Amino acid sequence: MIIPPAMKKTTEARPPSEDLIRLLSEFDLSVGELALGLREIVLKEAPAAVEKMFRVYALVFWYSITGRMTDAFCHVVIYPKGVNLMFNRGAELEDPDGVLVGEGKIIRHIKVRRPEDLKNPHLRKFIRAALKHAKSIARERELAGRTKPPSARRRPLK
């Protein structure tokens, strides 16, 4: 069976946009490198994810299965002194070792402060779990008739 190139799982993450690099240049180089390293991990685990970004008190890259923020499964949040990998529904993920940080009702995160932190196997484990959970929620919504799958939505005329 021949697999189209767009469906193959790639070993390399897509390169960052010029806008992303420009926004990261406002941070210390070591923080920018952590952010890019974490971004690469997310995109290797979820190569089909839609990546978007915004800036508030921190710079945020968010990853979604549909392109809608409500379907985002994780965020890379860049602060002046470090980076967090945030999980929108982290409180709903199994975490028997207590790795995820946070006490709110829904969001949890893992802190990334040093290059060695990028080797933490929990990063990939929770990205995969969050992605699986997001797909499950989207499927449940679709079955309940609350949303259409991305392929069935109308695209705006250009």
Side-chain angles (χ1 to χ4, degrees):
M1 177 169 114
I2 298 174
I3 299 173
M7 294 181 70
K8 289 182 181 178
K9 190 164 182 179
T10 177
T11 58
E12 289 188 33
R14 57 186 173 257
S17 69
E18 288 182 25
D19 282 342
L20 188 146
I21 295 296
R22 182 182 47 76
L23 289 168
L24 277 179
S25 71
E26 299 171 17
F27 293 87
D28 184 74
L29 180 62
S30 63
V31 172
E33 288 173 345
L34 289 174
L36 288 173
L38 194 49
R39 175 189 180 272
E40 184 175 340
I41 291 169
V42 170
L43 290 173
K44 281 185 177 181
E45 292 301 325
V50 176
E51 177 183 54
K52 299 205 177 182
M53 61 185 149
F54 65 89
R55 173 106 193 196
V56 283
Y57 59 89
L59 176 59
V60 180
F61 310 153
W62 58 272
Y63 301 90
S64 170
I65 57 175
T66 64
R68 293 187 317 230
M69 188 172 234
T70 55
D71 294 326
F73 57 93
C74 74
H75 305 274
V76 173
V77 184
I78 302 100
Y79 300 101
K81 295 187 180 194
V83 180
N84 286 351
L85 179 60
M86 305 280 274
F87 298 99
N88 277 18
R89 299 173 85 85
E92 298 171 4
L93 300 176
E94 288 188 35
D95 184 18
D97 299 323
V99 172
L100 297 174
V101 177
E103 297 179 11
K105 290 182 181 179
I106 299 175
I107 295 175
R108 298 288 184 273
H109 68 276
I110 298 174
K111 294 179 181 186
V112 177
R113 298 295 181 262
R114 303 167 310 179
E116 306 85 67
D117 295 342
L118 293 171
K119 295 176 183 163
N120 179 345
H122 287 102
L123 295 174
R124 292 178 187 276
K125 171 189 166 192
F126 281 108
I127 292 167
R128 288 190 297 267
L131 179 59
K132 182 178 178 181
H133 190 53
K135 287 178 179 178
S136 172
I137 291 168
R139 195 168 26 258
E140 287 173 16
R141 261 200 323 254
E142 186 181 324
L143 291 173
R146 290 183 275 173
T147 64
K148 295 178 182 176
S151 60
R153 289 190 205 117
R154 283 192 174 167
R155 298 185 190 266
L157 297 173
K158 292 185 180 184

